[in-house]
């Protein structure tokens, strides 16, 4: 059984220091990045360092025109499984932080994504890549 890669986003106070630690020291190849966040390939899993100088669970970063909650965690599913889950959550009346949508359209990182919170307030992102092999593409 092939396990899907996990996705973890976490706050950092300094992107350059995160790049040195995760990229240089731990040897995690860098994927896409912006002035606000950096994707790393953490042994086949996607971890994302988000600049969050103030820290705290209420922090957000702008990603493709949306306020993304930091920290958050989730999964990268296949597109059919993602659509089925989006439909199930919508039918259940889930209050989304970000409604199911496609972002980075036409770019190497094109993905379907949705954000919601668990009953304790923890933010989750469930995504599906248009091209599963492009999870870390720049």
């Amino acid at each position: 059984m092939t396990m899907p890669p996990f996705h973890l986003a976490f706050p950092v106070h300094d992107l350059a220091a995160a790049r040195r630690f995760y990229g240089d020291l731990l040897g995690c190849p860098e994927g896409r990045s912006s002035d606000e966040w950096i994707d790393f390939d953490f042994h086949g899993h996607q971890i994302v360092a988000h600049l969050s100088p103030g820290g705290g669970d209420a922090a957000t970063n702008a990603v493709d025109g949306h306020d993304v909650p930091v920290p958050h965690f989730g999964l990268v599913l296949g597109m059919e499984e993602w659509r089925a889950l989006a439909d199930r959550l919508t039918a259940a009346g889930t209050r989304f932080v970000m409604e199911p949508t496609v972002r980075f359209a036409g770019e190497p990182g094109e993905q379907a994504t949705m954000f919601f919170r668990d009953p304790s307030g923890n933010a989750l992102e469930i995504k599906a890549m248009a091209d599963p092999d492009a999870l870390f593409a720049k």
Side-chain angles (χ1 to χ4, degrees):
M1 180 172 133
T2 301
M3 298 294 289
F6 74 78
H7 164 81
L8 174 69
F10 54 95
V12 298
H13 297 293
D14 182 311
L15 285 178
R19 185 173 270 125
R20 287 189 302 271
F21 181 81
Y22 290 98
D24 298 339
L25 182 61
L26 296 183
C28 298
E30 186 174 323
R32 295 180 307 280
S33 65
S34 79
D35 293 338
E36 300 289 324
W37 50 269
I38 305 168
D39 280 353
F40 293 100
D41 178 349
F42 186 65
H43 301 272
H45 302 284
Q46 185 188 40
I47 61 172
V48 187
H50 282 265
L51 184 60
S52 183
D57 290 342
T60 62
N61 266 337
V63 178
D64 197 36
H66 298 277
D67 286 331
V68 170
V70 179
H72 67 266
F73 67 96
L75 289 172
V76 181
L77 301 175
M79 195 59 77
E80 287 183 31
E81 191 176 3
W82 182 90
R83 284 187 187 112
L85 179 59
D87 290 346
R88 190 166 70 243
L89 291 170
T90 299
T94 299
R95 185 173 158 209
F96 290 97
V97 174
M98 181 191 301
E99 297 282 335
T101 189
V102 173
R103 62 182 183 190
F104 307 122
E107 298 178 30
E110 181 177 336
Q111 59 192 251
T113 189
M114 60 184 145
F115 283 84
F116 51 92
R117 294 188 184 275
D118 72 9
S120 296
N122 295 302
L124 285 84
E125 176 185 18
I126 308 299
K127 64 171 72 175
M129 305 302 294
D131 174 3
D133 293 329
L135 185 61
F136 300 106
K138 293 183 179 184

